[in-house]
């Protein structure tokens, strides 16, 4: 009887060990090579901190910057600030396009402030930009990458990737998937009644990326406007009592004011960080594969994403459209990862 009990307890132990190792193996297997293309920007900085605080799942190879919320010199400075605040100064920052492909440039200083970072003091980070332009970095890196190995998170206008695809269309070989913060359908727009800012700022670039045939996921206003701050959610971040918690709560408190007034909402969205949360915990979100086209014609529909949610036109399904998300799950993830930073 004694031998039998020992055997059973050994069996339970080995099954438990197997379960632990297989979980670790699954986690390790899911690690992504990631390039973040961004126009920091308040919510971009929160997204960068979330990504840089998650090295087990995300190998952030580089940050590439683009003009958008503010001009390229400030988006590039703010990207360097975010990596400094995250203690990840080994990650190179490459500056990219200073203006859209075709349209006249627009900015969002009314939302993100003159420095592109509301609620906090900015300074000149000690570590400089990497040498070379972001577009060339994308061409070189994606061109020589293992097949379909690199994920690109697009948190601003898609100008850099569009320029790279125009110059070297073969770079799609290195792209695993592109996850875009952008677009709007059920929610309506935030820069016009129908257009979301990133698409409106460079719809021609978005059309180039759509036409490239890469695996595309959009994280539009339809979902980001369901993942809103609240006093309690900002307090849980502030309550971390570390530098990162102070920075993010100060940034968000300032950043969300405009949206709360404009939409009459009890809180504001953290658009770009929702893309990183999707990469880290896709189970927090839901959506479906649909057909999406972008309107780049001058007029009231300029920059609109026409999202065929009900498949009315029976066109090829070219985008996974994220339409819903678990707001508290998002803020718990954000808080847990910011706790890892200084
Ligand atoms: O519409 C929201 C998007 O536009 C976000 O990426 C924000 O940073 C701005 O770039
Ligand atoms: Ca952005």
């Amino acid at each position: 009887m004694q031998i039998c009990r020992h055997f059973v307890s050994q069996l339970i132990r080995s099954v438990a060990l197997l379960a632990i190792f297989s979980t670790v193996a699954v986690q390790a297997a899911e690690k992504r090579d990631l390039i973040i293309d961004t126009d920091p920007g308040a919510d971009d900085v929160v997204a960068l901190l979330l990504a840089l605080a998650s090295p087990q799942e995300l190998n952030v190879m580089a940050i590439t910057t683009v003009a958008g919320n503010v001009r390229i010199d400030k988006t590039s400075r703010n990207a360097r600030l975010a990596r400094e605040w995250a203690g990840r100064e080994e990650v190179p920052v490459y500056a990219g396009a200073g203006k859209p492909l075709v349209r006249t440039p627009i900015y969002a200083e009314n939302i993100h402030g003159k420095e592109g970072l509301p609620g906090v003091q900015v300074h000149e980070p000690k570590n400089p930009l990497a040498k070379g332009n972001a577009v060339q970095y994308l061409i070189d890196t994606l061109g020589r990458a293992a097949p379909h190995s690199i994920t690109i998170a697009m948190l601003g206008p898609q100008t850099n990737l569009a320029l790279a695809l125009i110059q070297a269309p073969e770079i799609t070989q290195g792209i695993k998937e592109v996850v875009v913060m952008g677009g709007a359908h059920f929610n309506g727009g935030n820069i016009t009644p129908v257009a979301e800012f990133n698409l409106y700022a460079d719809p021609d670039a978005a059309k180039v990326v759509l036409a490239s045939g890469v695996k595309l996921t959009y994280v539009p206003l339809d979902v980001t406007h369901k993942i809103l701050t609240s006093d309690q959610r900002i307090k849980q971040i502030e309550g971390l009592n570390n530098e990162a918690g102070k920075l993010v709560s100060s940034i968000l408190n300032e950043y969300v004011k405009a949206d709360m007034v404009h939409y009459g909402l009890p809180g504001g969205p953290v658009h770009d960080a929702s893309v990183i949360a999707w990469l880290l915990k896709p189970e927090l979100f839901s959506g479906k594969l649909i057909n999406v086209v972008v309107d780049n014609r001058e007029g009231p529909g300029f920059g609109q994403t026409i999202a065929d949610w009900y498949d009315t036109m029976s066109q090829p399904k070219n985008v996974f459209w994220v339409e819903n998300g678990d707001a508290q799950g998002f803020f718990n993830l954000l808080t847990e990862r910011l706790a890892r930073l200084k």
Side-chain angles (χ1 to χ4, degrees), residues 38-45 68-70 108 111-112 154-157 181-183 189-191 195-199 201 219 221 224-225 255 259 269-273:
T38 176
D39 63 334
D43 55 324
D44 303 72
V45 166
N69 288 316
V70 288
I111 306 286
H112 294 263
M154 310 286 304
L155 310 183
M181 191 282 133
N190 60 1
I191 185 85
E196 176 279 326
F197 177 83
N198 287 336
L199 272 282
V219 179
L221 300 184
T224 64
H225 278 227
Y255 173 57
D259 273 340
V270 195
H271 305 287
D272 294 333

Side-chain angles (χ1 to χ4, degrees), residues 20-325:
I20 291 166
F21 282 123
S22 58
T23 313
V24 170
V26 166
Q27 274 174 343
E30 276 154 14
K31 183 157 184 168
R32 280 178 188 266
D33 286 338
L34 178 68
I35 295 171
I36 302 177
D37 190 83
T38 176
D39 63 334
D43 55 324
D44 303 72
V45 166
V46 179
L48 289 169
L49 292 175
L50 177 57
L52 294 170
S54 307
Q56 296 92 329
E57 298 97 331
L58 303 174
N59 168 35
V60 181
M61 299 169 68
I63 297 168
T64 54
T65 60
V66 65
N69 288 316
V70 288
R71 285 163 175 71
I72 187 69
D73 56 325
K74 291 188 174 171
T75 58
S76 303
R77 189 258 334 262
N78 294 341
R80 290 159 56 215
L81 268 176
R83 76 171 171 184
E84 184 176 284
W85 285 332
R88 296 290 311 278
E89 293 174 88
E90 82 283 2
V91 177
V93 175
Y94 292 89
K99 60 182 176 42
L101 293 189
V102 179
R103 62 154 299 154
T104 49
I106 56 158
Y107 305 102
E109 289 168 3
N110 59 319
I111 306 286
H112 294 263
K114 200 169 62 60
E115 295 303 326
L117 248 186
V120 292
Q121 287 299 315
V122 295
H123 63 269
E124 185 59 25
K126 54 182 183 297
N127 279 15
L129 285 169
K131 289 197 175 6
N133 179 283
V135 175
Q136 195 55 50
Y137 168 81
L138 290 171
I139 292 171
D140 297 344
T141 308
L142 297 171
R144 64 167 173 254
H148 305 297
S149 59
I150 298 177
T151 298
I152 306 175
M154 310 286 304
L155 310 183
Q158 299 174 42
T159 318
N160 286 334
L161 184 54
L163 286 168
L165 287 165
I166 291 164
Q167 291 172 50
E170 70 282 359
I171 62 171
T172 53
Q173 76 85 33
I175 298 174
K176 178 186 176 81
E177 62 179 312
V178 177
V179 186
V180 168
M181 191 282 133
H185 178 60
F186 295 112
N187 184 81
N190 60 1
I191 185 85
T192 76
V194 292
E196 176 279 326
F197 177 83
N198 287 336
L199 272 282
Y200 187 73
D202 200 342
D204 304 285
K207 279 182 86 80
V208 169
V209 175
L210 260 174
S212 72
V214 293
K215 185 182 173 193
L216 253 183
T217 297
Y218 265 60
V219 179
L221 300 184
D222 297 2
V223 61
T224 64
H225 278 227
K226 294 172 183 167
I227 300 180
L228 302 176
T229 61
S230 67
D231 290 347
Q232 182 271 329
R233 287 166 178 167
I234 290 190
K235 278 197 175 60
Q236 82 181 41
I237 292 169
E238 217 165 16
L240 290 172
N241 286 324
N242 64 355
E243 193 54 30
K246 283 195 198 78
L247 283 165
V248 169
S249 50
S250 305
I251 290 170
L252 290 181
N253 270 325
E254 201 52 40
Y255 173 57
V256 299
K257 282 178 183 167
D259 273 340
M260 287 172 72
V261 169
H262 183 68
Y263 293 101
L265 289 171
V270 195
H271 305 287
D272 294 333
S274 309
V275 166
I276 305 303
W278 160 261
L279 291 172
L280 291 171
K281 279 197 157 184
E283 63 274 21
L284 291 176
F285 300 88
S286 63
K288 68 179 181 179
L289 260 179
I290 63 170
N291 177 263
V292 174
V293 292
V294 173
D295 185 348
N296 65 338
R297 297 166 301 172
E298 288 301 324
F302 186 74
Q304 181 177 4
T305 44
I306 294 95
D308 190 356
W309 184 259
Y310 298 106
D311 197 22
T312 308
M313 307 305 285
S314 307
Q315 290 303 300
K317 296 178 175 53
N318 55 354
V319 172
F320 185 85
W321 190 264
V322 181
E323 187 266 338
N324 210 341

